[in-house]
């Protein structure tokens, strides 16, 4: 299992700058994937607040970051079927919190040359949640 809980995508040429800024905030991370940093934070929300404050002070930091995503759950998988099964189990846990709200599923992935059709997986997970909501 991964030892990270926040994923930060970096725009081209912002990797070193962002790593240095995160280290100054007390966080460090790396990833084998291009322009992607993974961080282990005791409190991901606190990290997001610290990054927001730092970005307000330094436009270059803001410009270097493409996307920040706390990873509330993560899992390892070795096939498309295994991914679908584990992802569906997680989204079913979230279904009660989504009742009465609108939602959408977006997958952003790197690596793993598995045959994972992202739009099909997003649609499948949406349908899984909708099915669970209709049963309640």
């Amino acid at each position: 299992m991964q030892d990270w809980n926040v994923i930060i995508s970096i725009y081209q040429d912002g990797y070193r700058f962002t790593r240095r800024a995160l280290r100054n905030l007390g966080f460090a991370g790396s990833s084998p994937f291009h322009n992607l940093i993974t961080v282990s934070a005791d409190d991901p929300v606190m990290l997001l607040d610290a990054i927001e404050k730092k970005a307000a002070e330094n436009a270059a930091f803001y410009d270097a970051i493409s996307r920040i995503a706390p990873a509330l759950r993560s899992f390892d998988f070795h096939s498309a079927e295994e991914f679908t099964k584990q992802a569906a189990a997680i989204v079913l846990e979230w279904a009660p919190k989504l009742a009465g709200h609108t939602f959408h599923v977006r997958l952003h992935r790197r690596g793993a040359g598995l045959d994972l059709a992202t739009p099909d997986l997003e649609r499948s997970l949406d349908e899984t949640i909708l099915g669970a909501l209709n049963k309640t």
Side-chain angles (χ1 to χ4, degrees), residues 9-49:
S9 298
I10 307 301
Y11 284 119
Q12 193 64 32
D13 299 327
Y15 187 83
R16 285 188 182 140
F17 177 83
T18 303
R19 287 278 315 266
R20 215 173 6 256
L22 287 170
R23 197 168 33 252
N24 290 341
L25 290 173
F27 301 95
S30 63
S31 168
F33 302 110
H34 181 68
N35 284 346
L36 189 73
I37 296 173
T38 56
V39 177
S40 178
D42 292 335
D43 183 352
V45 174
M46 185 197 72
L47 173 62
L48 294 176
D49 291 343

Side-chain angles (χ1 to χ4, degrees), residues 48-128:
L48 294 176
D49 291 343
I51 289 173
E52 184 177 14
K53 186 182 275 186
K54 179 90 169 172
E57 297 168 359
N58 186 341
F61 188 50
Y62 178 82
D63 291 340
I65 296 173
S66 169
R67 177 181 298 122
I68 302 173
L72 302 177
R73 296 284 305 271
S74 64
F75 56 88
D76 293 323
F77 60 93
H78 302 288
S79 69
E81 296 78 23
E82 195 177 342
F83 171 84
T84 303
K85 181 180 177 182
Q86 291 186 59
I90 290 170
V91 298
L92 286 174
E93 292 174 16
W94 294 339
K97 292 180 182 178
L98 297 173
H101 300 281
T102 59
F103 68 91
H104 67 271
V105 174
R106 288 293 175 261
L107 300 175
H108 301 275
R109 47 189 213 102
R110 302 261 175 115
L114 299 174
D115 185 23
L116 296 173
T118 301
D120 294 340
L121 287 170
E122 290 172 349
R123 197 170 15 266
S124 171
L125 294 172
D126 275 341
E127 291 168 1
T128 299

